[in-house]
Amino acid sequence: MNNYTNDNTARRYKAHVSTLGTTQLHLRNPYIIAWWSAAFPGFGHMLLSKYLRGYSLFIWEVIVNVKANVNLAMIYSFQGNIDMAKEILDTRWLLMYIPVYIFGIWDSYRTTVDMNRVYLMAEREEHRINSFSIGALEINYLDKRNPVLSIIWSLFIPGLGQLYIHRILTAVFVIIWLVIFYFFSHVQEAVVLLFLGKVKEATSVLKPEWLLFIPSHYGFAIYDSYINTVENNKLFEKELQNHLKDNYQSTGFKIRKGQKLK
């Protein structure tokens, strides 16, 4: 049985299976990736598996957003209180926030276009990839998973969907930041008070500048786990198809093209 590894014997590989997860190239819509970067800087790059860049932009967004009071200004704007929104904005931080925010959108779009080209070239090379990785701490392998289960687990707690499909880096990052957002927004305290019928108290304990981070966080976790489950399933089927051809298909086997009916 052949053992395939990404050993630089080809110019490009479609995927790599490691103990920390399965990283692969596949066609993506640049506008969707750019939209996720607009929803929350860093998400677009994380969808592309550009983790270091994605993590940096994500942390930048949280720090500068809170310091500049961007979320609070958005809340006042939604309420029609434009003057208050202008008053609380800290321009010292805001002027740093805008260029990086625009860069995140532009760079994720540009990177998606480039990676789509790389994928098409890797698809033509058809170099085989490793499908199993074992280490001291983890085991990872290509397998089919249920995309619906990825969504369900992500709805319970963002990051669990990523753990289900073995995207360890994204899962740990998403879970850690979910805990941070929960803690500073006091959302769980508000939920308990709401169940007790104390609506005013539940509203008063909430920190809206942190609360606004949570919907995007949930949305990203759901989308990322679903898309990667679907693409991992496609990769598994392709790898299995190649394995069966190499090891079980007769060398003389050919499929004849049928003639057109007149």
Side-chain angles (χ1 to χ4, degrees), residues 6 12-16 22-26 118-129 234-235 238-239 242:
N6 297 357
R12 300 170 184 87
Y13 299 90
K14 289 193 298 183
H16 175 67
T22 301
T23 304
Q24 64 169 304
L25 296 172
H26 59 85
V118 173
Y119 167 78
L120 292 175
M121 289 185 284
E123 183 73 14
R124 291 184 178 182
E125 288 188 35
E126 292 188 343
H127 191 83
R128 297 296 301 277
I129 63 170
K234 293 179 182 178
L235 186 65
K238 181 66 175 179
E239 197 280 332
N242 290 333

Side-chain angles (χ1 to χ4, degrees), residues 16 103 183 212 220:
H16 175 67
F103 169 81
F183 179 81
L212 285 188
F220 167 78

Side-chain angles (χ1 to χ4, degrees), residues 7 24 34 41 81 87 90 102 106 111 113 129 147 162 169 172 176-177 202 222 225-226 252 262:
D7 53 5
Q24 64 169 304
N81 195 345
E87 184 178 342
D90 191 332
I102 296 174
W106 171 81
T111 304
V113 173
I129 63 170
Q162 280 74 16
L169 292 175
V172 171
I176 289 174
W177 278 99
I222 294 169
S225 62
Y226 175 80
K262 295 183 179 179

Side-chain angles (χ1 to χ4, degrees), residues 35-241:
W35 185 89
W36 276 110
S37 292
F40 206 118
F43 280 164
H45 291 86
M46 290 166 65
L47 286 168
L48 297 172
S49 297
K50 306 281 285 186
Y51 297 115
L52 293 180
R53 201 177 304 181
Y55 296 164
S56 299
L57 289 170
F58 183 99
I59 295 171
W60 170 274
E61 161 68 15
V62 174
I63 294 174
V64 180
N65 187 309
V66 172
K67 292 293 185 180
N69 296 319
V70 173
N71 281 352
L72 280 176
M74 289 174 58
I75 293 172
Y76 285 124
S77 297
F78 294 154
Q79 295 173 345
N81 195 345
I82 306 299
D83 292 334
M84 190 62 183
K86 292 179 180 178
E87 184 178 342
I88 65 169
L89 280 174
D90 191 332
T91 54
R92 294 174 302 173
W93 289 93
L94 185 63
L95 292 177
M96 290 191 296
Y97 177 86
I98 296 174
V100 177
Y101 181 82
I102 296 174
F103 169 81
I105 299 172
W106 171 81
D107 187 64
S108 64
Y109 178 90
R110 177 197 61 82
T111 304
T112 306
V113 173
D114 288 345
M115 291 181 67
N116 283 346
R117 293 171 181 166
V118 173
Y119 167 78
L120 292 175
M121 289 185 284
E123 183 73 14
R124 291 184 178 182
E125 288 188 35
E126 292 188 343
H127 191 83
R128 297 296 301 277
I129 63 170
N130 61 318
S131 60
F132 182 88
S133 179
I134 185 170
L137 297 177
E138 271 291 351
I139 300 173
N140 186 26
Y141 49 90
L142 288 180
D143 192 15
K144 293 197 74 172
R145 303 290 167 88
N146 189 337
V148 177
L149 282 179
S150 296
I151 294 175
I152 293 173
W153 284 118
S154 296
L155 284 170
F156 283 135
I157 292 291
L160 295 184
Q162 280 74 16
L163 283 178
Y164 171 62
I165 59 174
H166 204 91
R167 285 175 63 81
I168 303 299
L169 292 175
T170 303
V172 171
F173 188 84
V174 169
I175 290 173
I176 289 174
W177 278 99
L178 178 71
V179 173
I180 294 173
F181 293 153
Y182 273 173
F183 179 81
F184 285 104
S185 68
H186 298 277
V187 66
Q188 290 180 312
E189 296 176 41
V191 170
V192 172
L193 290 170
L194 191 62
F195 285 151
L196 295 174
K198 301 177 181 179
V199 179
K200 290 185 179 180
E201 291 183 32
T203 305
S204 63
V205 299
L206 284 173
K207 301 295 181 182
E209 65 271 28
W210 289 93
L211 182 64
L212 285 188
F213 289 130
I214 296 178
S216 297
H217 209 63
Y218 265 88
F220 167 78
I222 294 169
Y223 179 82
D224 177 76
S225 62
Y226 175 80
I227 289 297
N228 281 285
T229 304
V230 172
E231 294 300 332
N232 283 358
N233 288 347
K234 293 179 182 178
L235 186 65
F236 169 78
E237 292 174 354
K238 181 66 175 179
E239 197 280 332
L240 179 61
Q241 183 184 38

Side-chain angles (χ1 to χ4, degrees), residues 3-14:
N3 181 29
Y4 298 95
T5 58
N6 297 357
D7 53 5
N8 292 324
T9 57
R11 292 188 66 191
R12 300 170 184 87
Y13 299 90
K14 289 193 298 183

